[in-house]
Amino acid sequence: MSAHATPTPMIAHKSAPLKGEALVPGDKSISHRALIFGAMAVGATKITGLLEGQDVLDTARAMRAFGAEVTQHGQGAWSVRGVGVGGFSEPADVIDCGNSGTGVRLIMGAMATTPITATFTGDASLRKRPMGRVTDPLALFGTAAYGRTGGRLPMTVVGAKNAVGVRYALPVASAQVKSAVLLAGLAARGETVVIEREPTRDHSERMLLGFGAQLDVAKTGEGHVITLIGQPELKPQTVAVPRDPSSAAFPTCAALIVEGSDITVPGVSQNLTRNGLYITLVEMGADIEFMNPRSEGGEPVADLRVRFSGEMTGIEVPPERAPSMIDEYPILSIVAAFSTGKTVMRGVKELRVKESDRIDAMARGLEACGVRIEEDEDTLIVHGTGAGGVPGGARAAVHLDHRIAMSFLICGMAAKAPVSVDDASPIATSFPIFTPLMTALGATLRDDI
Ligand code: S3P
């Protein structure tokens, strides 16, 4: 079931030095895709290292509702017996995607060119998020969508019959929109072409190739032109999900700001469409060693050794880097608060339509912790207080957003006074072992009544 849990406040106290190894769970983006592509293949796909966070469990449940056989065999070990491209059956009930924008948008794409009808909903956060960015391009295939005002969930999607491929230039840098159009292109006849000006995470393209689709990516003056040939027979795969660089960001940043820390974070993706945070941290003066570069589950990875870095300085983050670190701005703004000088994050208005309005959530929480902030629609500027300098002593509102909750708990590990969050339960959507993992490294996290 989706996470409509009762709010669980949690508090983080100033931490002893963090030590040891942080083995973060599987990548959320790749986990959703492994289940969805597996459900569209003919035969049994085997998955290891699947993230068993609530978002991904909701996608597994949805794939069952569309007719795939999804089975858990052990921790992170799953199989999906797919029904083939165009083979989805009509779900008997509403599809509840919980907190997951990726889940609902990709699944809408995957069913959009099969002549069935499905109604989607989600939690209070997901019901506020715009779906028009996906249903607009799906309409080009002949798919109809009826939602609430502003293209909000609940929404009923009526799949197109005899769809033909489309050509679509993305108006926003969004891997979810790109992936939804490519997934819809699978059951359409002929070519579907998606053009993206700025490269976004490329897991769908990599996985489509892995499952045997015919796909070409050309780098042109317009940007990346991705061409998919419709109606392939997808072949089942063995997918080894690598660890999630967006989850790895939390122990990494905690170690950078908690005095005396020295940890390793194995298997962090170096995929150029995901590693913007790590480049930014190094530019700020973070002490991170990238060891043992190799390939895991088709992704370039390295083991990170991360030590406390007391002399980090704020920088201007290049706006064109935003797509490669879009989920990492909340935790970057915590690191910025413990650095010297100001960190300027421009071109980040997409943060306003994530699980929460992340610019607002970070600005209000950091201000409550005694940090000076400037913001406008597309910008967040954090005025650093230097190592150990954040006063803290506040409670941040999380707004059903896992990354806001984890960011402020990490803030509390290094601030002068403890920091609490009004609800830590959303952390289970992406990083269910966050509390035991951080506690094992040395952090002091407690339920806060
Ligand atoms: C994701 C794409 C990004 C990201 C999200 C995961 C994906 O969203 O924020 O957490 O798996 O495709 P957008 O496509 O909205 O930028």
Side-chain angles (χ1 to χ4, degrees):
M1 284 304 290
S2 68
H4 299 297
T6 28
T8 315
M10 189 173 266
I11 189 161
H13 290 262
K14 200 174 179 72
S15 175
L18 302 175
K19 303 276 177 188
E21 190 178 57
L23 286 170
V24 304
D27 191 276
K28 183 150 71 72
S29 294
I30 296 176
S31 294
H32 283 295
R33 287 162 171 80
L35 291 169
I36 296 170
F37 286 116
M40 297 176 86
V42 178
T45 285
K46 293 198 170 78
I47 309 171
T48 56
L50 188 85
L51 168 65
E52 288 165 352
Q54 191 58 47
D55 279 9
V56 175
L57 298 178
D58 287 336
T59 288
R61 199 159 41 97
M63 289 301 99
R64 286 191 190 112
F66 281 101
E69 217 177 276
V70 184
T71 314
Q72 184 183 21
H73 301 278
Q75 210 193 338
W78 291 63
S79 67
V80 184
R81 185 168 288 281
V83 293
V85 166
F88 278 168
S89 46
E90 189 164 273
D93 204 345
V94 173
I95 302 294
D96 185 346
C97 289
N99 191 249
S100 181
T102 305
V104 73
R105 291 177 175 141
L106 267 57
I107 296 168
M108 280 180 176
M111 57 82 45
T113 46
T114 301
I116 55 172
T117 296
T119 300
F120 296 88
T121 193
D123 70 4
S125 154
L126 192 58
R127 280 183 272 116
K128 282 188 200 149
R129 299 179 67 186
M131 296 298 140
R133 54 178 53 201
V134 168
T135 54
D136 287 352
L138 295 183
L140 303 175
F141 289 98
T143 308
Y146 307 93
R148 287 192 303 131
T149 313
R152 284 357 192 230
L153 300 177
M155 181 174 268
T156 296
V157 180
V158 181
K161 219 181 256 175
N162 300 323
V164 175
V166 304
R167 185 180 176 88
Y168 188 68
L170 294 176
V172 278
S174 167
Q176 291 176 0
V177 179
K178 169 177 68 177
S179 302
V181 177
L182 290 173
L183 281 160
L186 279 173
R189 275 177 295 133
E191 282 183 9
T192 287
V193 180
V194 182
I195 303 151
E196 58 176 4
R197 232 177 318 125
E198 297 145 313
T200 63
R201 67 192 65 196
D202 59 359
H203 308 304
S204 295
E205 296 90 306
R206 287 170 185 255
M207 215 174 263
L208 278 165
L209 284 170
F211 275 80
Q214 240 178 292
L215 175 125
D216 176 71
V217 183
K219 290 179 187 159
T220 72
E222 281 181 289
H224 284 183
V225 179
I226 305 156
T227 305
L228 171 73
I229 310 293
Q231 304 193 329
E233 177 167 315
L234 297 184
K235 310 260 180 308
Q237 296 300 301
T238 298
V239 182
V241 179
R243 297 182 197 283
D244 194 326
S246 298
S247 297
F250 293 102
T252 298
C253 290
L256 292 175
I257 61 173
V258 172
E259 203 174 333
S261 298
D262 184 351
I263 68 167
T264 55
V265 191
V268 179
S269 177
Q270 301 299 294
N271 179 326
L272 298 178
T273 64
R274 292 293 295 277
N275 71 345
L277 171 76
Y278 298 92
I279 295 171
T280 303
L281 292 172
V282 169
E283 286 175 5
M284 293 171 78
D287 183 351
I288 305 179
E289 252 179 87
F290 297 84
M291 305 178 306
N292 194 16
R294 62 195 180 279
S295 170
E296 263 179 24
E299 293 279 329
V301 301
D303 300 331
L304 270 45
R305 179 158 182 193
V306 188
R307 296 183 182 87
F308 169 65
S309 303
E311 301 199 335
M312 290 185 286
T313 48
I315 63 163
E316 283 244 11
V317 183
E320 64 276 11
R321 195 178 285 163
S324 69
M325 54 179 290
I326 195 66
D327 291 335
E328 281 66 76
Y329 284 98
I331 189 61
L332 174 65
S333 51
I334 299 296
V335 173
F338 287 95
S339 302
T340 309
K342 66 178 182 180
T343 297
V344 181
M345 297 166 256
R346 290 192 205 282
V348 293
K349 65 173 183 292
E350 271 295 296
L351 297 183
R352 297 206 181 268
V353 290
K354 294 293 176 188
E355 286 83 330
S356 68
D357 175 343
R358 287 181 171 162
I359 296 181
D360 185 67
M362 291 312 298
R364 299 296 81 77
L366 278 168
E367 278 169 353
C369 288
V371 178
R372 190 154 82 82
I373 299 294
E374 290 172 73
E375 67 169 296
D376 67 27
E377 183 53 27
D378 198 25
T379 310
L380 178 64
I381 299 173
V382 177
H383 292 264
T385 59
V390 173
R395 172 171 279 195
V398 160
H399 304 288
L400 288 177
D401 190 329
H402 53 132
R403 300 198 199 282
I404 302 299
M406 290 186 276
S407 296
F408 280 106
L409 290 171
I410 282 168
C411 181
M413 293 173 200
K416 291 188 201 317
V419 174
S420 66
V421 295
D422 64 350
D423 188 11
S425 66
I427 294 173
T429 61
S430 70
F431 198 162
I433 60 165
F434 174 79
T435 304
L437 183 146
M438 292 308 303
T439 306
L441 295 175
T444 310
L445 290 172
R446 295 213 179 89
D447 289 342
D448 190 34
I449 297 99

